[in-house]
Amino acid sequence: MSPAKSRHLNPKKLIRSKWTSASPRNKEKHFIVTNIIQPESKDLPIDLIELEAVYSGRSFALSWRELTNTQDWLQGWR
């Protein structure tokens, strides 16, 4: 099996971007990045974002790097 394709993303530009889960659960398929979670120290790089499910409004934190895995996340709403 070939490795998942990855895409290059800038975590600072992810706010309000739209994503589709490749494996929807609980009818949660479409998501919006609602927040970039700043690290406690300004010397540390950004690692976490907050995603909100459009269907349920449920929010959760996720490493922005996980969005680069095309087997799990598709950019835009599909």
Side-chain angles (χ1 to χ4, degrees):
M1 188 178 259
S2 64
K5 293 181 186 176
S6 66
R7 59 179 69 85
H8 296 285
L9 297 174
N10 181 341
K12 294 179 182 178
K13 295 183 178 181
L14 288 174
I15 195 76
R16 291 187 288 282
S17 63
K18 298 173 182 178
W19 297 87
T20 298
S21 173
S23 304
R25 293 184 206 143
N26 301 321
K27 299 182 183 178
E28 295 176 339
K29 181 176 182 178
H30 299 118
F31 294 83
I32 298 176
V33 176
T34 57
N35 192 18
I36 307 299
I37 301 171
Q38 299 296 325
E40 288 186 28
S41 170
K42 295 195 185 263
D43 297 334
L44 296 174
I46 295 170
D47 184 46
L48 297 174
I49 59 168
E50 185 174 326
L51 276 178
E52 181 178 320
V54 174
Y55 178 77
S56 66
R58 180 179 71 90
S59 293
F60 60 95
L62 180 76
S63 171
W64 70 267
R65 289 174 183 85
E66 293 197 32
L67 295 176
T68 63
N69 184 341
T70 58
Q71 288 185 339
D72 295 332
W73 294 100
L74 306 171
Q75 199 164 17
W77 287 346
R78 300 177 185 191

